[in-house]
């Protein structure tokens, strides 16, 4: 019998910690693990610990306001006292943590602080080795958006956008019978505001297109 997955705690740096609970972890085990972790953090860091939850649906990217708000909260908390630590809590896929870690690397890099160089190296290594391969295309795009805004190469327009079409370059992964059902769902923040009809798609005679 396979053992249920437990909540995982990782010190990315001495001051940035991640707590990840797999979505399939049973609720009683999750609560037990979380209580043990909280006791440990309280014992080690006392009142110098701030916990931030990713706070959005699994496999989705947050809106830009959420990303910048979390990064700003992290920076203000960590800069107030050298003993303070931040705990990034996520229940679900690692892609959520990846968005925050990658965004905070870029956010804090704008300060050009020499004493953060080792922390940046540790965060980049953790992101590259443990998180980046698990991100969805949408999550990767939002990391790129944050980086572009911080560097001044992209400005957010308040004007509404109109979606006229969606182009797929290659078929998605198909079922064993060579078919799949495609649909489009649009989110505003974490709220689904539009879902299209399902469109059945079959593989061409010579097999599915390469991904």
């Amino acid at each position: 019998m396979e053992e249920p997955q437990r909540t995982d705690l990782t010190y990315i740096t001495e001051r940035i910690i991640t707590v990840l609970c797999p979505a399939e972890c049973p609720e009683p085990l999750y609560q037990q693990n979380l209580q043990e972790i909280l006791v440990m953090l309280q014992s080690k860091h006392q009142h110098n610990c701030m916990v931030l939850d990713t706070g959005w649906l699994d496999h989705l990217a947050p809106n830009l306001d959420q990303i910048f708000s979390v990064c700003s909260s992290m920076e203000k908390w960590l800069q107030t006292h050298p003993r303070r630590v931040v705990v990034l809590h996520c229940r679900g896929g690692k892609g959520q943590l990846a968005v925050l870690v990658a965004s905070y690397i870029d956010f804090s890099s704008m300060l050009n602080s020499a004493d953060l160089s080792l922390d940046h190296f540790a965060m980049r290594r953790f992101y590259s080795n443990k998180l980046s391969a698990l991100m969805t295309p949408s999550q990767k795009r939002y990391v790129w958006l944050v980086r572009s805004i911080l560097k001044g190469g992209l400005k957010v327009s308040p004007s509404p956008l109109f979606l006229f079409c969606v182009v797929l370059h290659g078929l998605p992964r198909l079922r064993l019978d060579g078919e799949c059902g495609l649909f489009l769902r649009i989110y505003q923040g974490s709220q689904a505001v539009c879902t299209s009809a399902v469109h059945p798609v079959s593989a061409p005679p010579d097999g599915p297109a390469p991904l």
Side-chain angles (χ1 to χ4, degrees):
M1 182 176 180
E2 185 177 354
E3 183 179 349
Q5 296 196 40
R6 297 175 61 87
T7 303
D8 177 62
L9 181 145
T10 302
Y11 275 77
I12 303 179
T13 72
E14 292 184 353
R15 304 182 66 198
I16 299 179
I17 308 160
T18 61
V19 174
L20 174 67
C21 175
E24 59 272 18
C25 180
E27 182 67 22
L29 181 59
Y30 165 67
Q31 293 295 338
Q32 177 186 338
N33 294 166
L34 195 60
Q35 186 61 37
E36 293 171 355
I37 288 173
L38 290 175
V39 171
M40 184 277 290
L41 291 173
Q42 178 68 25
S43 173
K44 185 172 183 178
H45 301 289
Q46 288 80 47
H47 299 293
N48 294 311
C49 183
M50 179 175 71
V51 179
L52 293 172
D53 192 88
T54 52
W56 61 84
L57 297 177
D58 197 13
H59 302 304
L60 297 181
N63 61 50
L64 292 173
D65 288 340
Q66 282 180 293
I67 298 176
F68 281 106
S69 176
V70 171
C71 289
S72 179
S73 296
M74 291 176 63
E75 189 65 19
K76 289 178 181 177
W77 177 261
L78 293 174
Q79 292 298 324
T80 303
H81 195 282
R83 294 180 63 86
R84 287 188 165 182
V85 301
V86 168
V87 179
L88 298 176
H89 170 262
C90 171
R91 189 171 188 184
K94 290 184 178 181
Q96 299 181 51
L97 284 178
V99 172
L100 288 183
V101 171
S103 298
Y104 183 69
I105 291 172
D106 292 321
F107 187 90
S108 57
S109 294
M110 299 300 293
L111 301 177
N112 295 319
S113 177
D115 60 351
L116 290 176
S117 58
L118 290 179
D119 281 352
H120 285 162
F121 176 78
M123 285 188 288
R124 290 183 190 279
R125 182 175 58 185
F126 179 80
Y127 171 75
S128 299
N129 295 344
K130 303 291 186 180
L131 300 178
S132 61
L134 303 174
M135 298 173 70
T136 65
S138 176
Q139 290 168 338
K140 291 180 179 180
R141 177 170 176 80
Y142 269 74
V143 170
W144 174 83
L145 287 172
V146 170
R147 182 177 300 124
S148 299
I149 291 173
L150 289 171
K151 292 183 177 180
L154 181 68
K155 297 188 182 298
V156 179
S157 172
S159 302
L161 299 177
F162 298 91
L163 180 65
F164 292 102
C165 69
V166 176
V167 179
L168 293 179
H169 297 281
L171 288 173
R173 297 189 183 278
L174 304 176
R175 299 193 302 263
L176 294 178
D177 59 7
E179 297 183 352
C180 71
L182 298 181
F183 69 94
L184 176 67
R185 179 169 293 158
I186 299 175
Y187 287 84
Q188 183 173 348
S190 59
Q191 182 70 35
V193 295
C194 179
T195 302
S196 72
V198 177
H199 301 278
V201 176
S202 299
D206 56 349
L211 297 177

